[in-house]
Amino acid sequence: WRVVEVGRIREVDLFSAGDGLFVQVAGVGFDAQIIEETTWERKKKFGPLSYLMSAMSVVGQPPPRLKVFAEGADGVDAAFVLIGNGALYGPAFKVFRHASNSDGLLEVLMFEKQGHLDMLRYLSAMAMGKVENNKDVTYLQTPWLRVESEEPAPVEVDGELAGTTPVEFEALPTPLRTLVP
């Protein structure tokens, strides 16, 4: 209530993602597949562990072959893509180290592989804050991007499924006005 009473307003970048919108994080491929495969029944029974169970299943599957187009990236091949407007992925992983949710830019991480050992290497690098230093991870900042694939690949925005590829992400001209402490 104090936040409402004081009424400090902060403007936050808002991005289109296909027909939807997102504020914090989006993904194409791996993390969207995890969300897609995590059933309500499994979440009810196992809680947050259900996502890890789905991840173990997804990591063993052949990844979709994605092609990413953006300012500074002309057709980068990837197995999965993570897109951030803020620094955090989920409640605790600071994956997008250079992200600012008020600069009109997305941080994009394009991962070439999705095998078990690759995922362990990526997670270790994320924990150390150095994921973009991997030789098979392409990093860029851009105001827009497009992700395509031969077969439809799932897309998630802010933790919810939001369709399939092809998908375009673009900064909207009007930011989201939010009340902050």
Side-chain angles (χ1 to χ4, degrees), residues 15 70-71 103-106 140-145 169-172:
F15 288 86
E71 198 172 281
D103 64 0
L105 297 174
L106 293 167
L140 63 90
Q141 288 185 309
T142 183
W144 65 271
L145 76 144
F169 300 88
E170 185 174 18
L172 296 178

Side-chain angles (χ1 to χ4, degrees), residues 118-173:
D118 301 305
M119 296 308 288
L120 284 173
R121 190 167 40 83
Y122 296 150
L123 286 172
S124 297
M126 283 181 192
M128 293 186 299
K130 298 181 179 186
V131 69
E132 67 268 16
N133 293 344
N134 277 277
K135 64 179 169 34
D136 55 355
V137 175
T138 303
Y139 165 83
L140 63 90
Q141 288 185 309
T142 183
W144 65 271
L145 76 144
R146 178 176 173 83
V147 182
E148 301 175 355
S149 58
E150 289 181 20
E151 298 291 323
V155 176
E156 66 88 7
V157 294
D158 291 328
E160 300 294 329
L161 288 175
T164 60
T165 53
V167 62
E168 292 185 25
F169 300 88
E170 185 174 18
L172 296 178

Side-chain angles (χ1 to χ4, degrees), residues 43-118:
K43 285 190 266 189
K44 193 171 153 184
K45 187 173 183 178
F46 298 105
L49 184 59
S50 60
Y51 291 102
L52 180 60
M53 295 165 68
S54 294
M56 295 309 292
S57 169
V58 171
V59 79
Q61 299 172 14
R65 293 311 315 162
L66 306 175
K67 184 83 69 176
V68 182
F69 301 89
E71 198 172 281
D74 191 22
V76 175
D77 292 320
F80 67 100
V81 179
L82 296 179
I83 304 145
N85 182 36
L88 297 178
Y89 180 90
F93 282 106
K94 189 173 184 178
V95 174
F96 306 103
R97 295 182 321 124
H98 308 290
S100 165
N101 58 14
S102 60
D103 64 0
L105 297 174
L106 293 167
E107 277 205 27
V108 182
L109 294 166
M110 296 162 272
F111 299 82
E112 289 181 25
K113 301 175 183 171
Q114 185 181 299
H116 288 90
L117 293 176
D118 301 305

